Amino acid sequence: MAPARARPPSEARPIAMELIGLTEERLTFHDFLARHAHAVPARRGFYIALYPNKQTNRRLVDGLDALRTHAPGPEDVVFLDASNENSRRLDDDAVEALAAFNRETGVPRGRVVLVAQGSGLPREDGARREPMNWLAYHHWPVRLARTYEAMELTDFSYDALADAPPRFLMLNRTVRPHRYLLMEAIRRSALSQVVLRSDHRVEGSHSPRRMAEDVARNFPRLAHLAPDRDAEGWSEGTADFDDRQSAAFGRLGPMPVSFPEAPVRATMLSIVTETDFRAPVVRVTEKSFKPFVTHRPFVLVAAPRSLALLRDFGFATFGAVIDESYDNVVEPEDRLIAVLVELERLRRALEAAGARRAFLDAAREACAHNQRHLQQGFVEELDRQTLRTLRYALARPPPTLFTAACEGIA
């Protein structure tokens, strides 16, 4: 037998990237890097979690200090992981610390990768306006998928819903303008008879005055639904149940991966109110994935093309029984009105038991597919897409403001 031909240097088998964590916290993107270290074109990958949220800038500065002890070079990559949120703003000290790190170590700015949930326009790192490589990774959907991947899931009394009056489920959490307007429109219409709403936690940065100003500016045709701008605070909202007291909460994990089991069994359609509602941000959080767990069709109140993003991940949507044209409407006010029109159409269409049976039968296979794909297939598909994007980002020249903006829009 002839001896094996020696492999020339150009054909040498690639050496797996050495992954070095510089923070104790590890989000699911760290697991992705560990799974695919053999395919990342880098000698070493240094991982810094920009978490908890209020410590973003401190984590970055401390992480870069720790990184210097490893003598990084131009063949290494620095991963700044903020994938549990949509974006991070770096303060001036953090911006200067990153610029100094690039100058001192020779690690190019293009080898620094900011990882966040959204795939909208990249954020420049403060006043210096020097864009980093930007990578979208969906931490909470992956965590939700990992929570349920080994469980034996059911259809949560799906067939029994044909024999009961139609009910829709709306999990409405932290106040945001599109959620507030949707809730108010439902409360003041016949939809209030069919929509079960969870407790509405009024928190965050929106005061009644700021909310009213936002509505007047961005949703003028819905201004009659705005809160009183002179109110000193928010009045206590009304709700049909408190999802924090559900059987699943606590047993399955924190609120982002749990759901209220009893209301799910009583409802045939989920109204998902996502965090973002305006372009150019395109992301979905765990909220959009809960109907996959619970075997339900859904209407997605989110940024334009969010349904398309779910389909890109391999999930099915419900165009056979729901008019999903709202997903292509760019203007926020027009899209919210389109959602309300479709919800009212569904309310009327599902009044008869025969119509409910036909609706459930038509949506059944998509619901079953989504449940299966969440448990086996979604994480692998997201990995494939993320790895392809990461390899491209590391192989190209360092980004400019123009190329970063164009790729954010594409």
Side-chain angles (χ1 to χ4, degrees):
M1 180 180 296
R5 181 177 64 90
R7 189 186 298 268
S10 60
E11 298 181 17
R13 187 180 304 277
I15 299 175
M17 175 188 70
E18 180 185 1
L19 181 58
I20 301 173
L22 299 174
T23 52
E24 292 184 6
E25 292 76 12
R26 309 284 169 85
L27 302 177
T28 54
F29 180 72
H30 181 274
D31 299 335
F32 160 81
L33 291 174
R35 287 194 298 274
H36 299 285
H38 64 281
V40 178
R43 183 170 64 99
R44 295 178 296 179
F46 295 98
Y47 175 89
I48 301 173
L50 302 185
Y51 179 83
N53 302 356
K54 294 182 179 179
Q55 300 178 24
T56 293
N57 295 285
R58 185 71 260 161
R59 292 281 174 168
L60 175 58
V61 173
D62 290 347
L64 293 178
D65 287 343
L67 202 165
R68 284 181 172 88
T69 65
H70 293 270
E75 295 183 350
D76 299 325
V77 181
V78 181
F79 298 100
L80 307 178
D81 189 1
S83 60
N84 66 315
E85 290 291 342
N86 185 39
S87 63
R88 290 285 195 274
R89 288 290 190 184
L90 304 182
D91 64 20
D92 291 342
D93 289 342
V95 169
E96 182 52 42
L98 184 57
F101 170 81
N102 292 135
R103 291 193 303 267
E104 295 167 9
T105 63
V107 175
R109 181 57 59 92
R111 304 287 282 185
V112 178
V113 180
L114 177 62
V115 186
Q117 283 183 11
S119 54
L121 287 175
R123 305 291 180 88
E124 301 85 21
D125 56 353
R128 298 178 62 90
R129 297 182 62 79
E130 297 180 25
M132 293 171 282
N133 267 319
W134 177 276
L135 184 68
Y137 191 78
H138 301 264
H139 164 78
W140 281 111
V142 171
R143 179 162 176 186
L144 184 142
R146 291 305 194 199
T147 298
Y148 293 100
E149 64 183 353
M151 291 188 186
E152 185 176 349
L153 297 177
T154 72
D155 64 8
F156 293 91
S157 308
Y158 186 79
D159 287 311
L161 296 168
D163 300 324
R167 291 289 183 268
F168 305 162
L169 177 65
M170 180 177 173
L171 303 180
N172 195 36
R173 307 301 304 161
T174 305
V175 64
R176 297 181 188 275
H178 64 285
R179 290 176 181 163
Y180 179 88
L181 291 173
L182 181 68
M183 181 182 67
E184 281 298 301
I186 289 173
R187 188 177 66 83
R188 302 185 193 191
S189 71
L191 284 167
S192 63
Q193 302 169 17
V194 301
V195 177
L196 298 181
R197 294 168 295 145
S198 68
D199 62 310
H200 182 61
R201 293 191 300 169
V202 179
E203 59 182 36
S205 58
H206 279 91
S207 65
R209 175 176 291 277
R210 183 179 173 187
M211 177 74 76
E213 292 171 349
D214 192 307
V215 170
R217 182 171 58 254
N218 298 299
F219 303 88
R221 284 176 287 167
L222 300 175
H224 61 287
L225 301 175
D228 179 3
R229 68 175 60 225
D230 296 323
E232 294 183 1
W234 294 99
S235 59
E236 190 69 25
T238 58
D240 298 297
F241 63 94
D242 183 346
D243 57 356
R244 290 169 296 180
Q245 298 176 1
S246 66
F249 178 58
R251 176 169 59 88
L252 296 176
M255 183 63 69
V257 298
S258 65
F259 61 90
E261 188 169 332
V264 163
R265 292 184 181 277
T267 52
M268 63 188 306
L269 177 77
S270 288
I271 305 172
V272 179
T273 58
E274 264 293 358
T275 302
D276 298 302
F277 196 64
R278 298 176 185 173
V281 173
V282 182
R283 68 154 173 165
V284 284
T285 69
E286 76 288 343
K287 303 172 189 66
S288 295
F289 287 67
K290 290 184 181 182
F292 304 154
V293 178
T294 60
H295 196 277
R296 293 296 186 271
F298 58 91
V299 170
L300 185 55
V301 188
R305 294 195 55 76
S306 293
L307 286 176
L309 179 60
L310 291 175
R311 290 191 290 268
D312 287 345
F313 289 153
F315 293 103
T317 60
F318 297 88
V321 291
I322 298 172
D323 181 355
E324 297 180 335
S325 60
Y326 63 82
D327 191 49
N328 297 318
V329 179
V330 175
E331 175 59 38
E333 183 177 51
D334 292 342
R335 189 166 63 261
L336 187 57
I337 291 173
V339 167
L340 287 165
V341 169
E342 178 57 12
L343 289 174
E344 174 59 19
R345 185 195 71 80
L346 289 168
R347 182 191 71 81
R348 293 174 179 271
L350 296 174
E351 288 179 344
R356 292 195 294 275
R357 171 59 62 194
F359 177 90
L360 292 169
D361 286 344
R364 184 188 312 276
E365 179 51 38
C367 289
H369 165 79
N370 289 340
Q371 197 177 69
R372 291 192 302 267
H373 187 62
L374 178 71
Q375 291 187 297
Q376 187 173 11
F378 159 62
V379 174
E380 291 77 9
E381 175 60 24
L382 180 61
D383 277 12
R384 185 186 66 79
Q385 296 182 19
T386 303
L387 184 60
R388 181 183 61 198
T389 304
L390 177 59
R391 288 174 61 86
Y392 166 74
L394 295 178
R396 66 178 182 172
T400 66
L401 284 175
F402 176 76
T403 59
C406 288
E407 287 166 9
I409 294 172

